Each structure stands twice: as structure tokens, then as C-alpha cells.
């Protein structure tokens, strides 16, 4: 049990949540961070979907890594990811159809998500199933964390709601408060991401370029 949660494994899991976040440090998965964060609900679903797919794909590729010919490894990785994405997409259509409509083509584009392919190639191909599972969950949650933060501010300030529940009181609107429509536009997602990156690099000096 102690080996399962060794210092190395804890670092594999927790690093993507903070100092090695795939979005703010590695600058991966930015496209979906801009596209699906106008509302909190699709951002949460997208983050959880990527987490599940990354974890399972990492485990599958890790189990197969010694039998995959090097010249076709990318093709095998894509087939595994495509199968998992199809399963997740069908589950969303069956149990969360409205959210799947909001996510539109972006669920399918998980197949080419830089985070996913990067972890398969850089980690799962060189490590065991347990470590690969932790790496997949950690990177997925690190990605989801940024999506949720960005979506929180965009929906709150852009629509006055969170998860479609009215947060800003009606009395504020009667006093002249207006929702910031700019927050619902993709450039604001990029600006919020930039603010998160600025905060993270200010806090962790080792992330700053010399």
C-alpha cells in the first residue's frame, strides 16, 4: 500500500494540479478552454470527460506498451482514445443530452487533445498501469480545474448565474447593474487564463523564465 502511494506517485498525481498544470504551465488544451467555458455545466462535464478518458487510455496503453510496435504506436494510441471518446459521447447523449449539445463537436475533438496524446506518449509508454492511471487522473483534474475556474467567472459576470441558477440578485439589476456580455466571448477566456498564469508564475518563482 505504501508503494502505491509513494512520494513519487503522489508527485505524479499532484504536480498537474499545481506547479505542472497542463493548461497554465504546459500550455496544452487551450482550444477547449476557450470554447466550452461560457457556462459552468459544460466546463465541468468536459473536464470530467477528459479526466476519465485520459485515465483509462493511460492504463490501456501502459498495459499494451511492450507489445505495440514502435512504428504504429501513434495509430494504436488514437484507436484506443477514439474508442473511449465514442463511449463517453454516447453516454452523454443518453444521460446528459442538453450538455452534449452544448459541447457539440468538442467531445469528439478530445481525440486530438494535446494533453491526452502527450500523456500517452510521454508517460504511459514508459510507466506501469498504476502510475499511468494516477498521471491520467492528475492531468485530467488539472485541466478540469482551469476550465471550472474560467467558466465560474465567465458565467457569473457574463450571465449573472452559476449552473443556470440566478446568483446576482434582481435588485442589483434594478439599481442599474448590467451583465458583462464581453465575458461570454472567447477572448475573455484567454484573458482569464492569462491572469491565472500570471498568478501562478508570481507565486512559483521557478516557473519564471530567466
Amino acid at each position: 500500500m505504501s508503494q502505491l502511494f509513494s512520494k513519487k506517485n503522489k508527485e505524479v498525481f499532484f504536480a498537474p494540479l499545481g506547479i505542472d498544470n497542463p493548461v497554465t504551465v504546459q500550455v496544452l488544451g487551450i482550444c477547449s478552454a476557450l470554447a466550452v467555458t461560457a457556462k459552468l455545466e459544460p466546463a465541468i462535464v468536459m473536464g470530467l470527460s477528459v479526466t476519465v478518458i485520459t485515465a483509462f487510455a493511460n492504463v490501456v496503453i501502459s498495459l499494451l506498451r511492450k507489445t505495440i510496435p514502435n512504428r504504429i504506436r501513434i495509430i494504436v494510441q488514437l484507436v484506443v482514445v477514439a474508442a473511449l471518446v465514442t463511449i463517453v459521447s454516447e453516454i452523454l447523449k443518453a444521460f446528459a443530452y442538453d450538455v452534449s449539445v452544448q459541447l457539440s463537436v468538442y467531445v469528439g475533438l478530445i481525440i486530438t487533445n494535446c494533453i491526452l496524446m502527450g500523456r500517452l506518449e510521454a508517460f504511459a509508454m514508459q510507466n506501469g498501469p498504476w502510475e499511468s492511471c494516477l498521471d491520467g487522473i492528475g492531468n485530467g483534474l488539472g485541466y478540469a480545474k482551469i476550465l471550472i475556474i474560467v467558466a465560474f467567472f465567465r458565467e457569473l459576470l457574463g450571465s449573472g448565474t452559476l449552473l443556470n441558477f440566478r446568483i446576482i440578485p434582481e435588485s442589483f439589476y434594478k439599481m442599474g447593474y448590467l451583465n458583462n456580455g464581453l465575458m461570454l466571448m472567447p477572448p475573455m477566456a484567454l484573458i482569464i487564463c492569462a491572469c491565472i498564469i500570471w498568478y501562478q508564475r508570481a507565486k512559483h518563482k521557478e516557473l519564471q523564465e530567466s
Side-chain angles (χ1 to χ4, degrees):
M1 182 63 72
S2 60
Q3 290 182 343
L4 292 177
F5 296 99
S6 64
K7 182 179 180 181
K8 179 182 177 182
N9 286 345
K10 287 180 180 178
E11 183 178 349
V12 166
F13 179 79
F14 287 109
L17 295 173
I19 199 168
D20 195 27
N21 187 277
V23 178
T24 60
V25 177
Q26 301 174 44
V27 197
L28 301 174
I30 290 291
C31 296
S32 52
L34 305 182
V36 303
T37 53
K39 296 285 185 179
L40 192 54
E41 186 178 18
I44 293 172
V45 173
M46 185 69 167
L48 292 178
S49 299
V50 170
T51 301
V52 171
I53 292 169
T54 306
F56 277 99
N58 265 16
V59 170
V60 172
I61 294 300
S62 177
L63 290 170
L64 298 176
R65 70 188 189 282
K66 295 182 180 179
T67 62
I68 301 174
N70 189 56
R71 65 183 181 276
I72 63 168
R73 70 186 190 283
I74 301 298
I75 297 174
V76 174
Q77 291 170 13
L78 284 171
V79 169
V80 170
V81 173
L84 290 170
V85 168
T86 301
I87 293 171
V88 169
S89 178
E90 293 303 311
I91 291 174
L92 288 176
K93 288 178 182 177
F95 297 102
Y97 182 75
D98 290 342
V99 177
S100 72
V101 170
Q102 292 180 58
L103 291 174
S104 184
V105 298
Y106 297 104
V107 173
L109 289 176
I110 293 175
I111 295 172
T112 57
N113 191 300
C114 304
I115 298 170
L116 192 56
M117 297 306 298
R119 298 327 297 168
L120 294 177
E121 183 70 12
F123 197 92
M125 288 294 291
Q126 284 82 38
N127 292 276
W130 174 245
E131 293 83 1
S132 297
C133 181
L134 291 177
D135 179 77
I137 295 173
N139 277 277
L141 291 178
Y143 167 82
K145 171 186 171 183
I146 301 303
L147 258 65
I148 290 170
I149 291 173
V150 173
F152 176 88
F153 287 105
R154 290 186 70 192
E155 182 176 355
L156 179 62
L157 300 177
S159 302
T161 61
L162 287 175
L163 295 174
N164 295 319
F165 290 102
R166 177 63 57 191
I167 300 299
I168 298 177
E170 188 64 32
S171 58
F172 279 41
Y173 293 98
K174 292 179 180 178
M175 291 188 292
Y177 177 84
L178 294 174
N179 291 326
N180 187 347
L182 188 61
M183 293 298 294
L184 301 178
M185 299 179 67
M188 285 308 302
L190 191 60
I191 292 172
I192 295 173
C193 282
C195 290
I196 297 172
I197 293 171
W198 169 78
Y199 169 78
Q200 191 172 30
R201 296 199 175 203
K203 184 177 180 182
H204 300 284
K205 302 298 183 184
E206 61 270 31
L207 295 176
Q208 298 178 12
E209 292 84 358
S210 56

